[in-house]
Amino acid sequence: MALTAGAAFATMRQPSGDQDRAYLSTDGWPASGQGAYALGDGRPAVSPNQRPAPIASLAKVMTAYLLLKHYPLTTDEAGRPFAVDPADVADTAVRRAEGQSVVAVQAGERLTERDALAAILLPSANNIAVLVARQVDGSVASFVAEMNATARALGMSRTTYTDPSGFDPGTVSTALDQLKLAQVVAGDHELAAMMATRSYRLPVAGTVTNTNTLLGQDGFVGMKTGSDDAAGGCFMFQSWRRTATGVVALTGVVLGQRGHNLITAGLAAARQLVDRIAPNPAFPSRAPA
């Protein structure tokens, strides 16, 4: 069911620390930015003002998707290794100085494919996204070209990737395009499982945690946050809900959310939108078997 203008909406809950932010407009969509969702196998519903906009670290979902397309994983398999060289350490230092999201690395370290996925998707490490892109396709430019070709193949006609991490504000998309990607990656068991992981231990960086703090609450089982000044708060998500026709997955995306904490703003907007569409969560800690 799509949101309609003027519809009454239920009382919404907001994550602690952002209680005074008004994320809903009168028609139920976030008051700023854009959103899209699909309830089960239903047709997507989209907010007004769909236009290409920066998506920050949501770009890493495509990076992770392509990594697994090149090197599929099976359960309990570590996957191909990624070597860390001195140039990667220097690149990490530059990115850290710029305030980018990174994880610690050291020359000679070897990350498994599963390690790399965790670093990219949980703490949202820009340095590992770039390292993976270069080693998968031989150069970052070649990998970015593959990102764009894949977007076209998936029908993401208003998406342009300019980097594998989303740090470059030239990486833009719409909520509807990102929803198309979300629906595809939700069907990849290994990718969905990693995005539903709360913490993971890396060889050098140690334990990293997922920036998606809604995991295990109100039916939320993934997927990926993103935030920076250009993009605002962004969140690609999935939540299992009880409806009149049974338990279904609600998959959605919000972009361009504003608040004093951008990640919290994205999470709050998604939580309110989900509660508006289907107020009854199911399976609060996991997806149904």
Side-chain angles (χ1 to χ4, degrees):
M1 65 182 193
L3 296 175
T4 56
F9 54 88
T11 301
M12 303 301 172
R13 294 161 290 175
Q14 299 177 350
S16 176
D18 233 12
Q19 291 90 339
D20 296 330
R21 297 289 177 178
Y23 293 105
L24 289 180
S25 65
T26 55
D27 63 2
W29 290 109
S32 64
Q34 55 188 289
Y37 71 85
L39 189 59
D41 295 327
R43 294 181 59 186
V46 299
S47 70
N49 304 316
Q50 293 284 312
R51 60 176 181 80
I55 60 171
S57 290
L58 294 199
K60 296 185 179 80
V61 178
M62 179 64 85
T63 298
Y65 175 69
L66 287 181
L67 172 56
L68 285 170
K69 290 286 283 185
H70 278 268
Y71 306 102
L73 283 176
T74 59
T75 303
D76 299 327
E77 183 182 15
R80 67 151 285 180
F82 289 89
V84 178
D85 64 24
D88 296 314
V89 176
D91 177 70
T92 299
V94 170
R95 294 178 186 279
R96 181 181 289 111
E98 293 175 345
Q100 296 188 38
S101 176
V102 299
V103 296
V105 293
Q106 67 181 28
E109 177 185 3
R110 290 176 71 83
L111 295 167
T112 67
E113 182 178 349
R114 200 171 291 279
D115 292 339
L117 282 170
I120 291 169
L121 294 171
L122 274 61
S124 207
N126 290 0
N127 58 330
I128 306 303
V130 172
L131 180 155
V132 163
R134 189 185 70 253
Q135 294 191 31
V136 166
D137 265 341
S139 71
V140 172
S142 294
F143 190 87
V144 170
E146 186 177 1
M147 294 173 78
N148 284 305
T150 304
R152 299 287 88 76
L154 294 177
M156 300 165 65
S157 60
R158 305 185 73 190
T159 296
T160 301
Y161 291 103
T162 59
D163 72 318
S165 72
F167 179 72
D168 185 343
T171 288
V172 297
S173 187
T174 64
L176 176 58
D177 271 10
Q178 289 299 300
L179 175 62
K180 293 175 182 178
L181 178 59
Q183 291 175 305
V184 171
V185 301
D188 185 308
H189 174 75
E190 294 302 324
L191 185 49
M194 183 58 75
M195 291 191 290
T197 300
R198 298 189 188 190
S199 64
Y200 187 98
R201 185 164 184 81
L202 295 171
V204 170
T207 300
V208 295
T209 57
N210 199 322
T211 54
N212 175 9
T213 56
L214 287 181
L215 279 174
Q217 300 182 41
D218 293 343
F220 280 90
V221 293
M223 297 183 182
K224 181 77 184 77
T225 67
S227 66
D228 60 29
D229 289 343
C234 305
F235 188 30
M236 177 187 291
F237 57 89
Q238 188 168 74
S239 178
W240 288 92
R241 319 300 287 186
R242 295 185 187 277
T243 70
T245 58
V247 175
V248 298
L250 195 161
T251 307
V253 176
V254 291
L255 303 178
Q257 301 309 295
R258 298 295 170 180
H260 74 273
N261 181 301
L262 295 178
I263 290 179
T264 300
L267 296 172
R271 191 175 194 174
Q272 293 183 358
L273 185 61
V274 166
D275 282 349
R276 168 66 181 87
I277 299 161
N280 301 310
F283 307 100
S285 298
R286 59 177 176 83

